[in-house]
Amino acid sequence: MAPAPNPASAKAPRHVAIIMDGNGRWAKQRGRPRTFGHAEGVEALRRTVEAAGELGVQYLTVFGFSTENWRRPAEEVSALFDLLRLYVARDLDKLVKEGVRVRVIGEREGLQADIGQIIENAEAKTRFNDKLNLIIAFNYGGQDEIARATRRVVADVAAGKIKADDINPDTFGAYLDTAEWPAPDLLIRTSCEYRLSNFMLWQAAYTELVFTDTLWPDFDKRALENAIAEYNKRERRFGGTEAVAT
Ligand code: IPE
Ligand code: IPE
Ligand code: MG
């Protein structure tokens, strides 16, 4: 007999995106440096990747470093880069074994060479995995992504590969970093901030937004389940008059 469907996984949105925010405030509450909060944030990321897989999410996109985060003090920026190094060094084997495919979106130009290599290695080693797609937005900004895509469209128009008249949301979307994936169904932002901060500007056109007061280092499977339960109460209409099943 086929196993009974798991109700949680049956209702999990296909693509969940998360703005992991509040690490600094979490550390401040404890009288510790902001980087301590970022380190705990990595633990929350590990828990969340595991939980997303268990709940049957197919795509999990997380915002790790924005194109605007360069405005932070140099020591903090370098600590955030170190955490990407540490996360991949510690978890890549586990991700490979557990069927997680890792992809990184954002501007790669200008990143330190070893970061580029770490990203390429993680993508290559997990490329045949298909249980969960973990998409890490690193040095990512929605406006930067749209500008980079536009440069490529213009180059293709100049080369005669595409006609200007053929540019529409579908053809343009294929030039974005996220071309291969469906748009996020659910976007979660932690820590009581109610803005997109340049995340997924194009892709979030019809995404359901859930804001929570949990600070990112405290995020866990229960918090993800709560956000999914909130999502499941929403009626998605995509501009029409009837609910659309997704
Ligand atoms: C989010 O936490 C982590 C990143 C931006 C990488 P913050 O560092 O923004 O923490 P708060 O918002 O200052 O509390
Ligand atoms: C967004 O959080 C960026 C990431 C989570 C990586 P920020 O903390 O940088 O956003 P603002 O500055 O509060 O808008
Ligand atoms: Mg913040």
Side-chain angles (χ1 to χ4, degrees):
M1 204 168 76
N6 171 352
S9 75
K11 291 168 83 186
R14 186 153 63 140
H15 185 169
V16 176
I18 308 183
I19 301 177
M20 310 182 288
D21 199 12
N23 295 351
R25 278 162 285 165
W26 187 92
K28 195 169 178 210
Q29 284 174 357
R30 288 159 180 77
R32 303 290 299 268
R34 294 176 57 81
T35 47
F36 178 65
H38 296 318
E40 278 303 309
V42 173
E43 299 308 315
L45 174 63
R46 305 172 90 189
R47 288 195 290 275
T48 304
V49 171
E50 207 169 293
E54 287 164 6
L55 294 170
V57 170
Q58 289 172 43
Y59 303 89
L60 175 69
T61 301
V62 295
F63 203 5
F65 188 86
S66 79
T67 45
E68 288 68 40
N69 286 149
W70 291 103
R71 293 178 188 151
R72 296 185 178 204
E75 314 84 75
E76 184 173 345
V77 170
S78 98
L80 288 165
F81 279 72
D82 282 347
L83 286 177
L84 179 73
R85 294 181 175 99
L86 186 79
Y87 175 64
V88 175
R90 259 168 60 185
D91 282 30
L92 186 58
D93 286 347
K94 188 167 165 248
L95 296 169
V96 171
K97 271 195 219 109
E98 291 179 355
V100 179
R101 182 166 187 186
V102 179
R103 309 295 290 275
V104 178
I105 58 171
E107 174 60 273
R108 296 218 188 155
E109 206 119 310
L111 295 180
Q112 285 149 303
D114 78 302
I115 292 275
Q117 280 155 12
I118 285 168
I119 291 171
E120 278 166 29
N121 182 47
E123 291 184 332
K125 282 214 166 119
T126 60
R127 61 195 286 228
F128 297 116
N129 284 349
D130 60 3
K131 182 170 177 249
L132 169 69
N133 289 277
L134 171 63
I135 302 152
I136 303 173
F138 198 82
N139 198 24
Y140 172 88
Q143 293 177 341
D144 177 69
E145 179 191 31
I146 292 167
R148 284 187 286 107
T150 304
R151 287 205 290 268
R152 292 198 290 266
V153 172
V154 170
D156 279 359
V157 170
K161 290 187 193 157
I162 177 176
K163 291 204 276 295
D165 282 348
D166 292 335
I167 300 168
N168 57 46
D170 286 336
T171 55
F172 188 83
Y175 285 85
L176 294 168
D177 294 351
T178 54
E180 292 172 46
W181 311 301
D185 299 293
L186 165 63
L187 169 61
I188 303 167
R189 184 170 189 153
T190 57
S191 84
C192 284
E193 302 289 359
Y194 308 104
R195 55 179 171 267
L196 290 177
S197 301
N198 204 7
F199 188 48
M200 301 252 136
L201 297 184
W202 175 281
Q203 298 83 349
Y206 274 99
T207 299
E208 294 296 329
L209 310 179
V210 170
F211 298 96
T212 82
D213 54 10
T214 308
L215 299 175
W216 177 250
D218 290 328
F219 201 84
D220 58 9
K221 186 175 186 183
R222 171 69 68 85
L224 179 61
E225 285 171 335
N226 288 344
I228 291 175
E230 172 69 34
Y231 167 84
N232 281 319
K233 289 189 217 150
R234 307 279 177 88
E235 186 180 282
R236 304 184 73 186
R237 288 191 288 268
F238 297 93
T241 56
E242 304 295 329
V244 176
T246 48

